[in-house]
Amino acid sequence: MTTSPIERAADQFVTALAQWRVERGMTKKQLAARMGFDPSYVSHVEGRRHKPTEDFARRAEAVLGAGGAIWQRFQEYDELRHARGVMHRDPPVPAQWLPPGAGLVVESEVAELAYIGGAYRCRVRRSLYNAGTEAVTRYLVKIAVDRYPNDPSGSNRHHREHPLTFDEMDVHAMAGDGEAAESMKWRVKLDRDAAKELWLLFANERGQFPLYPGERTRIEYAYTVGEEKWGQWFQRAVRLPTRSLTVRLNFPERFEPQVWGVEVSLNAEVPVRSPLERRNEGGRAIFEWSTDQPLLNARYRLEWRFRGTDAPQFDDLAPPEPALPRASHRMRGIGIIQRGSDLLRQRARHFQLPREAPAARETVTRLLSSLAQLEDLHEFSKGVGLAAPQIGIPVAAAVVRPPEREIEPVVLLNPRIVGESSDGDEQYEGCLSFFDYRGLVARPLRIEVEHARFDGARVVTVFERAMARLVGHEIDHLEGRLYVDRMESDAKLVPIAQYQQTGRPWDY
């Protein structure tokens, strides 16, 4: 029996909803409660007894943090539904769903970080709308610094020795516009070496000016952090429903800055979906990135490096032990997810082939494109592999380029190891998601791998020696494992600076 395009689109929406609900470990009743619906409502939608509405789709996307997947499936369904001439449309809802209990909406945010005279000055402007039922009398601001984000122990040590202080931060805040603007008092909520939280109060020595339901205002706050305490990154977290977000970096042009952006959600860390814009003004290089309707709980991070000879050098300020990793910076710069991301510890979803063949082909295309970028950065004499979760796609696909450069990469869809030899060896492995170190890993010399073609047919391929190691490494990624999980408990990682086999194939 055939189904119509609209029925297939509805099925795809329900499938995406159920997959993300299971991924987040929620029952239907738990999800319904988080979304503010009757306990049986999610069950009715997944069972196709109720048609999904725009409000339902937005709430599901916000609660499950699906990176836009649920919302995209709803839009596909909605377009087909209305293309068929259905007269009824769901009543309009706010541009972004307001979670139960939330009162404030950020109608626009502009966050700017400027390097001036050896310090970073952060200035944030937010246009607020009180969509709740109670007057708002304070606004929470969170400030965190991390001098060495790829070296947590070194960063913690550094900030213990050089704690961030409110005195040096010079915090100022205002509410309102023009001549009607009022200074805002602030009160400390949290005071730690590398993290501060403070309440901006809708009050000053002249009195209070609460933001009442239905009213709008603009707040602006600014603070300063010295370059010795601020790492080369600037992150914005979406904690309130937000309609427009702009992030701006302002550096001296002579520093020759290079800037890139990363979007961090609950399940992925990928390059931002639109390019940064750059302009030069008065000897300053200004980088700007904007997005509309950012998802709740999403985080957007801009990172940079300075190439100018008179710019502050990151390495000069690194802790003496251990040395600051740099190779992982390059990997992250082209969109490779780094160790510590939850996505690398989750089992990848298998494709439903041949139905999902177009999605599988698109994923393989993205993997091969990323592989080409990788080979411009590093000489992989041992061969190289890349799994879809490493570029932020939680599906069971990987590509492996053999040590022999003239051989085409191997494509693996839904792979699983079905046999392996009793003979094995130990070799040092690296990982694109943990590229600053190498570790000694034992693996079989021969493996048999069952995997799928795009048409859904299953085949078994035998891999030996280097290819067996490379393929086994990528299948581990698809099962949520890293090579460090296979190392002996007393084995030590070798920093890349001390590794003696770079540029040489494995020895057999």
Side-chain angles (χ1 to χ4, degrees), residues 439-469:
L440 195 60
V441 182
R443 292 192 188 271
L445 288 171
R446 181 180 183 273
I447 61 174
E448 298 174 11
V449 177
E450 183 187 65
H451 54 105
R453 295 195 178 110
F454 291 109
D455 63 4
R458 303 289 296 184
V459 296
V460 174
T461 304
V462 176
F463 299 98
E464 296 183 333
R465 298 192 174 187
M467 281 300 290
R469 182 170 292 276

Side-chain angles (χ1 to χ4, degrees), residues 247-267:
V247 187
R248 187 178 300 138
L249 299 178
N250 186 325
F251 300 131
E253 189 177 352
R254 69 180 187 281
F255 285 2
E256 299 181 30
Q258 179 185 13
V259 178
W260 59 94
V262 178
E263 179 179 337
V264 184
S265 66
L266 293 174
N267 65 295

Side-chain angles (χ1 to χ4, degrees), residues 21-325:
R21 177 179 59 76
V22 172
E23 185 76 19
R24 298 292 180 242
M26 293 187 192
T27 65
K28 296 174 185 177
K29 289 185 178 180
Q30 288 172 333
L31 177 57
R34 290 281 300 277
M35 292 170 63
F37 283 126
D38 181 89
S40 62
Y41 195 77
V42 171
S43 180
H44 289 322
V45 172
E46 288 193 10
R48 297 288 306 277
R49 294 184 292 277
H50 285 345
K51 295 179 180 179
T53 65
E54 181 177 348
D55 183 41
F56 180 92
R58 288 188 182 277
R59 296 190 188 203
E61 177 66 45
V63 171
L64 294 175
I70 293 174
W71 178 240
Q72 180 181 349
R73 291 290 175 261
F74 174 79
Q75 287 182 308
E76 293 168 353
Y77 161 74
D78 198 46
E79 289 175 3
L80 287 171
R81 181 169 56 143
H82 296 300
R84 291 180 57 180
V86 177
M87 298 302 295
H88 172 73
R89 292 192 67 94
D90 299 324
V93 297
Q96 181 162 2
W97 167 62
L98 206 62
L104 281 177
V105 173
V106 178
E107 296 187 313
S108 69
E109 173 179 328
V110 178
E112 180 174 13
L113 186 73
Y115 182 93
I116 303 172
Y120 290 95
R121 184 68 173 173
C122 177
R123 187 176 302 276
V124 179
R125 296 189 299 277
R126 290 193 178 105
S127 295
L128 302 178
Y129 170 62
N130 185 352
T133 59
E134 302 291 336
V136 174
T137 61
R138 61 184 185 178
Y139 187 91
L140 182 63
V141 171
K142 297 183 178 183
I143 301 167
V145 294
D146 188 354
R147 187 61 184 86
Y148 309 112
N150 287 321
D151 182 6
S153 60
S155 194
N156 290 338
R157 183 171 62 251
H158 176 81
H159 290 300
R160 282 196 302 270
E161 297 171 356
H162 309 282
L164 185 64
T165 67
F166 282 109
D167 287 342
E168 68 182 293
M169 291 172 64
D170 187 29
V171 178
H172 285 83
M174 301 288 292
D177 290 300
E179 296 181 357
E182 295 273 4
S183 63
M184 304 177 75
K185 286 185 176 180
W186 52 272
R187 185 170 68 239
V188 176
K189 181 178 183 289
L190 175 73
D191 186 0
R192 293 180 179 165
D193 292 341
K196 311 293 183 192
E197 293 183 8
L198 51 91
W199 291 110
L200 299 184
L201 306 178
F202 286 85
N204 55 33
E205 63 279 358
R206 295 187 295 275
Q208 298 183 355
F209 39 94
L211 183 64
Y212 287 100
E215 292 185 343
R216 289 176 167 84
T217 192
R218 188 179 81 166
I219 66 170
E220 179 174 321
Y221 63 90
Y223 58 89
T224 298
V225 177
E227 66 182 4
E228 74 284 357
K229 299 178 184 179
W230 190 285
Q232 291 179 296
W233 61 281
F234 184 41
Q235 180 168 285
R236 309 309 301 158
V238 182
R239 298 189 178 94
L240 291 174
T242 300
R243 296 198 170 102
S244 172
L245 171 66
T246 297
V247 187
R248 187 178 300 138
L249 299 178
N250 186 325
F251 300 131
E253 189 177 352
R254 69 180 187 281
F255 285 2
E256 299 181 30
Q258 179 185 13
V259 178
W260 59 94
V262 178
E263 179 179 337
V264 184
S265 66
L266 293 174
N267 65 295
E269 181 174 319
V270 297
V272 290
R273 302 173 192 275
S274 57
L276 280 73
E277 297 182 359
R278 172 177 175 163
R279 66 181 188 274
N280 296 331
E281 293 181 0
R284 308 286 296 185
I286 300 172
F287 298 82
E288 187 169 298
W289 178 81
S290 299
T291 185
D292 292 328
Q293 316 300 341
L295 294 174
L296 281 171
N297 303 313
R299 290 172 290 165
Y300 303 95
R301 185 174 66 240
L302 300 188
E303 302 180 16
W304 61 88
R305 67 185 182 103
F306 296 141
R307 295 170 293 182
T309 56
D310 62 343
Q313 297 301 308
F314 193 48
D315 286 343
D316 294 344
L317 302 172
E321 293 293 336
L324 178 69

Side-chain angles (χ1 to χ4, degrees), residues 124 367 406 472:
V124 179
L367 285 168
E406 66 276 7

